[in-house]
Amino acid sequence: MNAKTLPACPVETTLTLISDKWKVLIIRDLLSGTRRFGELKRSVGGVSQKVLTSQLRQMEESGLLTRTVYPEVPPRVEYTLTELGYSLRPVLEALRDWGEEYKSGGV
């Protein structure tokens, strides 16, 4: 995705990049460090292998994470947030804080 295809509205741009529930959960899990595919599948929970693969590819294309394949048998693949991906930390922290406040009846 490039700047020409992104919406004019900044909020819509952000949602375009992370609007899927799985993408937000993937980012949440990668904020603590690099993860292998199987680790992400277990930690995200409820996501199919096909959907997780698709989401990871989309996030790699948009520059949110990098995928590293190690020449081993079986191949080891690891995912790491890029600087752009890590820049979403305050957004996810705000979502977490709001969710905690909502659950406690404070909102």
Side-chain angles (χ1 to χ4, degrees):
M1 190 169 290
N2 62 47
K4 291 181 182 180
T5 61
L6 291 172
C9 172
V11 172
E12 192 175 348
T13 297
T14 305
L15 289 174
T16 298
L17 294 173
I18 65 167
S19 63
D20 188 279
K21 143 182 157 175
W22 303 120
K23 289 179 184 174
V24 172
L25 297 178
I26 291 166
I27 293 167
R28 173 202 66 189
D29 291 350
L30 289 177
L31 281 171
S32 61
T34 300
R35 297 278 184 269
R36 293 175 71 170
F37 184 88
E39 293 173 313
L40 284 172
K41 186 160 181 345
R42 282 188 299 280
S43 66
V44 169
V47 65
S48 71
Q49 183 167 332
K50 179 181 176 180
V51 170
L52 180 58
T53 299
S54 172
Q55 298 295 291
L56 289 166
R57 284 183 183 152
Q58 289 172 24
M59 293 171 73
E60 184 179 14
E61 287 172 14
S62 61
L64 296 175
L65 59 81
T66 59
R67 177 180 183 262
T68 305
V69 180
Y70 295 91
E72 301 172 356
V73 178
R76 178 171 48 115
V77 180
E78 293 182 342
Y79 297 90
T80 306
L81 288 178
T82 61
E83 188 175 327
L84 179 65
Y86 277 112
S87 73
L88 288 164
R89 181 185 299 273
V91 175
L92 266 67
E93 288 174 349
L95 288 170
R96 181 201 62 218
D97 294 347
W98 188 91
E100 286 176 354
E101 192 169 331
Y102 177 82
K103 285 172 66 174
S104 70
V107 177

